[in-house]
Amino acid sequence: MDISIDISDINAMDIDQIRTFLAVVANGSFLEAANRLHVTQSTVSTRIQRLESYLGAILFVRNRSGAVLTLPGHRFLRHAKSLLLTLEQARHDIGLPSRYRASITVGARIALWEEMLPRWVGALRKQAPDVSIRSEIGFEEDLMRGLIEGRIDVGLMYTPQHNPGLQIEHLFDETLVLMTTDPAKPWPNEDYVYVDWGPAFYAQHSSNYPDLERPPQVVNIGWLGVQLIISNGGSCFLPIRMAAPLIQAEKLFHVPGSLRFRLPVYMVFPRDSDSVVLQQVVDSLRLLAVIEQQKAVTE
């Protein structure tokens, strides 16, 4: 690979070059990395070329199937993750008031922020008042990218993607129940809203309802499904945890005789981190999982 970038044009690696390197690794393609980073493919190529010039080594071999790490690329991968994490931690810590010893960023699917995680954040604030907490909402793709890039310290999601630098741990199982605004109305019907809870739910749903036609309404988050059926009438699958207050308010009802589905919840965090605060957060989430499992048994 011929690198035409003048080494005098760069003095050191910048954070965008490291982010771009990790994006190419995660997606296996310069084009796909460009799409994920919302930049042009030529920008990705330029950043990688400059990084290669600075390091004095070729990091990727490009072919029809995408981009494959070279041996120096594999060696740099571990350093890239550490560098980015250090830069991100520095960015957070520099502006941190002196009363805080550290900061932590937690990202999760919006359904998990329904009552459960806010309650957990409140408990963590009492347990560690000297830790600054940043809370984020995202889909799996966004959360995994944030974890790979070091912007997110812990992610909670339904369908994590394997990454060698990340630890994936099963926390607990959500119980998805079929809720309706009108329990007297036969189901299925034209008011059914299909909530895309991910591949595991799709497989269970398809297996148990093989003859069910594609519903006229499809949404990608449970919160939106709730808004639609509360406003217009209808039914959708929701975690019983989300549905409980609406059942108590008599806004939603169980569809008589309907099935329940299991939806695993996973926690993802850096595999080799030695952060004491991160370990404290991970341990507190494990305790939360135990509480949620105990509650699920009684429901």
Side-chain angles (χ1 to χ4, degrees), residues 6-26:
D6 186 351
I7 192 66
S8 64
D9 290 339
I10 53 175
N11 296 318
M13 291 176 289
D14 64 37
I15 194 168
D16 286 334
Q17 291 171 9
I18 300 174
R19 285 191 195 280
T20 302
F21 170 79
L22 291 172
V24 175
V25 174

Side-chain angles (χ1 to χ4, degrees), residues 19 25 30 78 89 91 131 147 163 181 195 204 261:
R19 285 191 195 280
V25 174
F30 278 44
R78 176 171 58 87
Q89 288 176 337
R91 182 174 65 84
V131 173
L147 285 157
N163 184 278
T181 53
V195 180
Q204 295 178 81
F261 295 132

Side-chain angles (χ1 to χ4, degrees), residues 199-221:
F201 173 70
Y202 175 81
Q204 295 178 81
H205 192 277
S206 299
S207 175
N208 285 278
Y209 302 114
D211 300 324
L212 184 65
E213 294 182 353
R214 177 184 171 89
Q217 298 183 82
V218 178
V219 298
N220 62 348
I221 57 174

